[in-house]
Amino acid sequence: VVLSWSLHMFSRIVRPECGNEITARYITWLEKQMDSDPNLRRVYIQAIGNVGSPETIAVLRKCVHNSQYSSYLQTSAVFAMRYQVIHKSPKVVPVLMSLYHNYSLPIGTRLAAVALLVYSDPGIAVWQRLAISTWYEPSPAVAQFVASSVRTMATSQDSLYSHIARSALLVLPLTKPIKVKAHEPYNLMTSWFTSDMEKQILEQLSWMRFYNFSNLYYRHSSRSSGFFRTNMEASFSVANIDALWKAMKEMLTPYSNIPHADVNDKPRTLTRIREALGLHTRSLPHLEADLHLKINNMVERMVVINKDTFKSWVKEGHRMVTEGFLNGKSMTYQKTDMNSFHISTTTELGFPVQFNVRTPWIVKSKADFNLTGNSLIFDYAFVYSSQMISSISVMSSWTDIEYSAGTYATNYIQLPPFRAVLNFNPAEQVVKLTIAYVNQHRLFYLNMQPYTSRQRITYY
């Protein structure tokens, strides 16, 4: 509710922009809510950013420099400045540059500043500083992210970012040549035209992962007839991704049911090595995550995940495993329906014309689950069939004869049944997925028969 409200406040299409007095009152209320409800602090930070006014930059910057906040919240506060970047606020570029050059901040926070900075049209001077910094950056991950951002903007063919692409192309020779690695942070963007040259598609993908913060971002935009629209925008952020992975495994395989070896029985363990060398275990942040989804700039949802959320999910997962999968669970979906429409009109000469289309269809799918030991077995089968009966008819009023032409089509699809087996080895912490077809019989049948008819209409 808070996200939707703040988004509509900022949107000039839905309603006029709020005045400074109303905006300041709303921002003050959101700041108080952040302190009163820490579990929803991430949501309130995003709501402040969605207000979009320049006054929110100072509030978000204060969140970034708040030492009481985790690196997850600090980085989220930087990403919340995206509306100020979109609307080219003159105050946002100096703030993002100062955050990028602040080496005391978490690496993820600095990368978030770079991710927004390249879309703010900062000017050639800022682009030069970014390109040259790749040679002196102490963190290889930051250097690769900056280099990939400069390279992807320099090679962009999207006319919307043509002015940014020209600046990035000028400083590209100043950038350190770094090969992009899939497991390292990167920022990529590509664009192309559809086959009919009527629509231009733009996709952006960025990835960053560190021990205290990870983020995966994807954006799909299109432009047609001069109108630019973001069809889908999704972002998944998590602090301590290892804890997230462990919690997801706990949902299906309870940790207490997995046999574990006694550490004291092993002559060489990590614990004894740490004690011998005097090393201290790195303290990892608490589990915090969120999934932020936007569709067509009209629907915006955020799902916040924390320890309490996963406790309820783990409890539900245990119930599903013990009551369902261990005893075998079968699910069947079947639906039959028909789509049809009818058009009747009259030609200029007065001939009545009718057009009919009927499409009956049926779909059936069946899935079986069975959990045995550390293996989850999944069987699936799918069948789909449809028909299309279409006709167009014209009747002559002076001869009372109806002339018809149409098609009768039948379509039948049966996918080959397959079995997927998910094996988990607790000793080696390895998950193996095997997919095999139960049989190779697949069926695809399509038959279309055109026909014509002539019949006399008799009136009684």
Side-chain angles (χ1 to χ4, degrees), residues 393-457:
S393 60
V394 180
M395 189 178 70
S396 174
S397 58
W398 58 82
T399 59
D400 294 333
I401 297 178
E402 184 182 48
Y403 300 90
S404 301
T407 58
Y408 180 84
T410 303
N411 181 25
Y412 185 84
I413 300 175
Q414 179 180 355
L415 299 181
F418 69 90
R419 168 171 291 184
V421 180
L422 184 66
N423 293 313
F424 172 64
N425 189 340
E428 300 179 0
Q429 296 290 309
V430 175
V431 177
K432 182 180 179 181
L433 177 63
T434 305
I435 300 177
Y437 290 107
V438 178
N439 57 65
Q440 295 292 336
H441 297 291
R442 60 174 60 88
L443 182 60
F444 178 78
Y445 174 78
L446 176 62
N447 183 25
M448 182 177 295
Q449 296 290 337
Y451 69 90
T452 58
S453 66
R454 177 179 179 272
Q455 59 180 345
R456 182 179 297 275
I457 306 299

Side-chain angles (χ1 to χ4, degrees), residues 13-183:
I13 299 176
V14 178
R15 63 182 66 175
E17 186 176 359
C18 295
N20 294 333
E21 182 180 355
I22 300 177
T23 303
R25 187 186 309 171
Y26 182 54
I27 295 174
T28 304
W29 178 80
L30 288 175
E31 287 186 275
K32 294 180 180 178
Q33 293 299 115
M34 281 196 300
D35 298 331
S36 61
D37 193 352
N39 292 329
L40 293 179
R41 190 169 286 162
R42 170 68 181 95
V43 179
Y44 291 118
I45 289 176
Q46 185 64 43
I48 292 176
N50 284 359
V51 174
S53 62
E55 290 78 9
T56 59
I57 298 178
V59 179
L60 295 174
R61 185 178 185 180
K62 185 171 64 175
C63 295
V64 175
H65 293 285
N66 192 338
S67 59
Q68 302 297 326
Y69 286 179
S70 62
S71 59
Y72 164 78
L73 292 177
Q74 291 175 322
T75 309
S76 300
V78 179
F79 280 126
M81 300 181 188
R82 58 184 304 275
Y83 280 109
Q84 289 78 8
V85 172
I86 292 175
H87 292 272
K88 305 295 187 296
S89 175
K91 298 181 180 180
V92 71
V93 174
V95 172
L96 293 177
M97 280 297 295
S98 64
L99 295 178
Y100 168 62
H101 288 292
N102 190 345
Y103 295 99
S104 62
L105 292 176
I107 296 180
T109 306
R110 297 179 58 210
L111 291 187
V114 176
L116 295 182
L117 192 61
V118 296
Y119 292 97
S120 62
D121 194 12
I124 189 64
V126 175
W127 279 105
Q128 289 176 345
R129 294 174 62 183
L130 286 176
I132 296 175
S133 67
T134 57
W135 294 90
Y136 307 101
E137 174 59 46
S139 173
V142 176
Q144 174 174 304
F145 190 87
V146 175
S148 63
S149 300
V150 175
R151 189 179 301 111
T152 192
M153 295 304 299
T155 57
S156 174
Q157 299 180 357
D158 194 306
S159 57
L160 182 66
Y161 300 104
S162 58
H163 55 294
I164 301 179
R166 285 193 295 267
S167 300
L169 185 61
L170 290 175
V171 302
L172 184 59
L174 303 177
T175 308
K176 183 178 180 179
I178 301 176
K179 185 178 180 180
V180 177
K181 301 177 182 178
H183 61 279

Side-chain angles (χ1 to χ4, degrees), residues 103-311:
Y103 295 99
S104 62
L105 292 176
I107 296 180
T109 306
R110 297 179 58 210
L111 291 187
V114 176
L116 295 182
L117 192 61
V118 296
Y119 292 97
S120 62
D121 194 12
I124 189 64
V126 175
W127 279 105
Q128 289 176 345
R129 294 174 62 183
L130 286 176
I132 296 175
S133 67
T134 57
W135 294 90
Y136 307 101
E137 174 59 46
S139 173
V142 176
Q144 174 174 304
F145 190 87
V146 175
S148 63
S149 300
V150 175
R151 189 179 301 111
T152 192
M153 295 304 299
T155 57
S156 174
Q157 299 180 357
D158 194 306
S159 57
L160 182 66
Y161 300 104
S162 58
H163 55 294
I164 301 179
R166 285 193 295 267
S167 300
L169 185 61
L170 290 175
V171 302
L172 184 59
L174 303 177
T175 308
K176 183 178 180 179
I178 301 176
K179 185 178 180 180
V180 177
K181 301 177 182 178
H183 61 279
E184 295 288 345
Y186 55 83
N187 184 21
L188 304 176
M189 185 181 69
T190 181
S191 61
W192 68 90
F193 285 92
T194 56
S195 58
D196 53 6
M197 301 296 290
E198 292 184 357
K199 184 182 295 185
Q200 187 174 11
I201 307 297
L202 181 142
E203 288 185 319
Q204 180 189 354
L205 177 67
S206 67
W207 162 251
M208 58 182 72
R209 179 187 177 183
F210 304 97
Y211 77 95
N212 57 358
F213 181 81
S214 300
N215 175 264
L216 178 63
Y217 175 82
Y218 173 76
R219 176 166 64 105
H220 182 278
S221 305
S222 62
R223 185 166 62 255
S224 177
S225 302
F227 292 95
F228 182 83
R229 183 178 67 176
T230 300
N231 304 97
M232 188 184 72
E233 187 176 9
S235 174
F236 181 70
S237 303
V238 57
N240 194 352
I241 194 172
D242 294 331
L244 176 65
W245 173 242
K246 185 182 296 184
M248 293 178 64
K249 291 191 296 184
E250 178 72 8
M251 290 177 60
L252 297 178
T253 307
Y255 188 79
S256 58
N257 296 342
I258 301 177
H260 299 277
D262 188 3
V263 177
N264 297 323
D265 294 338
K266 295 184 178 181
R268 296 180 180 180
T269 62
L270 291 178
T271 304
R272 295 190 178 185
I273 293 176
R274 293 193 191 100
E275 293 176 355
L277 298 179
L279 301 177
H280 297 281
T281 305
R282 173 184 287 178
S283 59
L284 297 177
H286 297 293
L287 176 59
E288 295 178 289
D290 68 86
L291 177 62
H292 191 189
L293 181 64
K294 290 184 63 178
I295 301 176
N296 291 332
N297 287 332
M298 298 298 294
V299 178
E300 182 172 5
R301 295 291 183 268
M302 176 177 286
V303 179
V304 180
I305 304 171
N306 50 34
K307 280 188 174 182
D308 296 334
T309 307
F310 262 107
K311 285 181 180 178

Side-chain angles (χ1 to χ4, degrees), residues 310-356:
F310 262 107
K311 285 181 180 178
S312 61
W313 288 2
V314 168
K315 183 178 179 181
E316 182 64 24
H318 291 176
R319 186 192 64 80
M320 180 179 62
V321 170
T322 55
E323 298 180 5
F325 292 167
L326 289 178
N327 300 324
K329 187 175 182 62
S330 179
M331 294 184 293
T332 302
Y333 174 80
Q334 180 173 325
K335 185 175 181 180
T336 302
D337 202 349
M338 183 178 70
N339 302 324
S340 63
F341 67 90
H342 175 83
I343 299 176
S344 297
T345 184
T346 304
T347 64
E348 295 180 356
L349 298 178
F351 296 155
V353 179
Q354 295 185 5
F355 180 63
N356 296 280

